[in-house]
C-alpha cells in the first residue's frame, strides 16, 4: 500500500465533527455491505463525545481542504487505545490510514504510554495486515454484550448498600469515588486509569 504524501495530518476541528461522523458511518456501512451505508449507527455518534473529552486527542487526514479521515487516540493512564480510525471509501488503499497511524503512535510516545491496543475486524486480512505493519498482533476474541439498566434507586449492591449514581454524589464524595476507581483499575493493570473517561462522561451529562 503506497503512502499518500499529499495527505495532511492535523487536529480534528470542531467544524469537522459532522463530516467526521458521516465518514465514520459511511466507512463502516460500506465495509459491512449495507444497502445504504449511512444507515450504520445512525442513532449514535462515536466522534463528537470523544472529541469533547479533554483526555482524547482527535486527528484528521485532509487532502487540501477536504476531510478524508480521522482517528481518536485515547490515553488511559499508561495504557492507550485508538479508534475508530475511518477513511472515506474512495481513499481506501492509498495509505491514508498509515499516515493517521504514524501520527497516533507519535502521540502515544509523547504521552509516555507503555501499552496500546485497538479493536478491528478479525475476519479482515486487510485490517489485520495494516495493524501488523505497526507491530499489532491479534490477541483476544472479545464478546460485546449489552444490558439495559433500570433506574431503580432501591437496587442493592453486593455489599448490601443501595446503588448510587456518581453524578448524584456531593463533589467531595464524587472526587473520592473517582480516585477509588483509579486504585481499582491500577490493581487490575498497573498504570490503567479511567479517570478521564469518568470525568468526560460527567461533564457531558
Amino acid at each position: 500500500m503506497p503512502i499518500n504524501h499529499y495527505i495532511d495530518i492535523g487536529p480534528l476541528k470542531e467544524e469537522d465533527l459532522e463530516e467526521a461522523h458521516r465518514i465514520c458511518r459511511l466507512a463502516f456501512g460500506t465495509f459491512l455491505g449495507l444497502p445504504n451505508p449511512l444507515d450504520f449507527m445512525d442513532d449514535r455518534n462515536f466522534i463528537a463525545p470523544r472529541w469533547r473529552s479533554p483526555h482524547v486527542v482527535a486527528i484528521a487526514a485532509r487532502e487540501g481542504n477536504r476531510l478524508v479521515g480521522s482517528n481518536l487516540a485515547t490515553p488511559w493512564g499508561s495504557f492507550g487505545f485508538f479508534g475508530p480510525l475511518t477513511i472515506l471509501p474512495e481513499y481506501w488503499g492509498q495509505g491514508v490510514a498509515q499516515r493517521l497511524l504514524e501520527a497516533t503512535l507519535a502521540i502515544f510516545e509523547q504521552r509516555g504510554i507503555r501499552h496500546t491496543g485497538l479493536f478491528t475486524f478479525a475476519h479482515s486480512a486487510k485490517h489485520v495486515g495494516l495493524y501488523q505493519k505497526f507491530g499489532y498482533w491479534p490477541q483476544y476474541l472479545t464478546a460485546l454484550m449489552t444490558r439495559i439498566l433500570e433506574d431503580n434507586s432501591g437496587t442493592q449492591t453486593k455489599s448490601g448498600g443501595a446503588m448510587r449514581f456518581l453524578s448524584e454524589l456531593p463533589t467531595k464524595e464524587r472526587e473520592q469515588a473517582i480516585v477509588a476507581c483509579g486504585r481499582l483499575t491500577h490493581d487490575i493493570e498497573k498504570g490503567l486509569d479511567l479517570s478521564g473517561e469518568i470525568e468526560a462522561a460527567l461533564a457531558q451529562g
Side-chain angles (χ1 to χ4, degrees):
M1 183 186 299
I3 298 290
N4 190 332
H5 293 288
Y6 295 99
I7 296 296
D8 293 321
I9 304 298
L12 186 69
K13 302 173 183 178
E14 187 169 12
E15 57 265 30
D16 296 325
L17 294 181
E18 184 176 344
E19 178 63 5
H21 174 50
R22 190 190 73 85
I23 291 172
C24 180
R25 291 165 55 207
L26 179 64
F28 276 104
T30 300
F31 177 77
L32 295 172
L34 300 185
N36 179 8
L38 287 173
D39 284 342
F40 178 82
M41 293 291 188
D42 59 353
D43 61 340
R44 65 192 67 185
N45 191 323
F46 285 121
I47 307 296
R50 311 297 303 160
W51 183 88
R52 295 189 177 98
S53 302
H55 64 296
V56 176
V57 181
I59 57 176
R62 292 182 174 82
E63 184 175 49
N65 293 323
R66 187 186 188 191
L67 183 71
V68 300
S70 65
N71 194 22
L72 301 169
T74 305
W76 285 349
S78 61
F79 176 79
F81 80 96
F82 62 84
L85 191 164
T86 51
I87 311 294
L88 270 175
E90 63 198 80
Y91 283 82
W92 289 357
Q94 299 183 36
V96 180
Q98 292 191 58
R99 296 289 310 280
L100 283 168
L101 276 170
E102 290 168 355
T104 300
L105 297 184
I107 290 167
F108 286 149
E109 185 174 352
Q110 291 165 5
R111 296 285 183 98
I113 302 296
R114 298 197 302 268
H115 185 194
T116 63
L118 68 137
F119 289 97
T120 192
F121 296 102
H123 67 288
S124 171
K126 184 175 181 179
H127 284 80
V128 172
L130 167 67
Y131 297 121
Q132 283 180 340
K133 290 180 179 180
F134 290 85
Y136 293 99
W137 292 84
Q139 289 192 330
Y140 306 110
L141 180 63
T142 303
L144 301 180
M145 307 172 73
T146 62
R147 177 186 177 193
I148 299 175
L149 298 178
E150 296 180 4
D151 186 4
N152 185 349
S153 58
T155 300
Q156 299 290 309
T157 64
K158 290 183 178 180
S159 61
M163 182 178 71
R164 301 176 67 189
F165 290 100
L166 188 65
S167 58
E168 298 173 349
L169 296 178
T171 302
K172 187 170 183 180
E173 286 186 45
R174 185 186 303 169
E175 292 171 352
Q176 292 171 343
I178 294 173
V179 170
C181 289
R183 288 197 296 266
L184 175 63
T185 53
H186 179 80
D187 288 343
I188 295 170
E189 176 69 33
K190 185 178 179 182
L192 182 62
D193 184 3
L194 304 183
S195 298
E197 294 289 315
I198 297 170
E199 291 166 355
L202 285 169
Q204 296 182 59

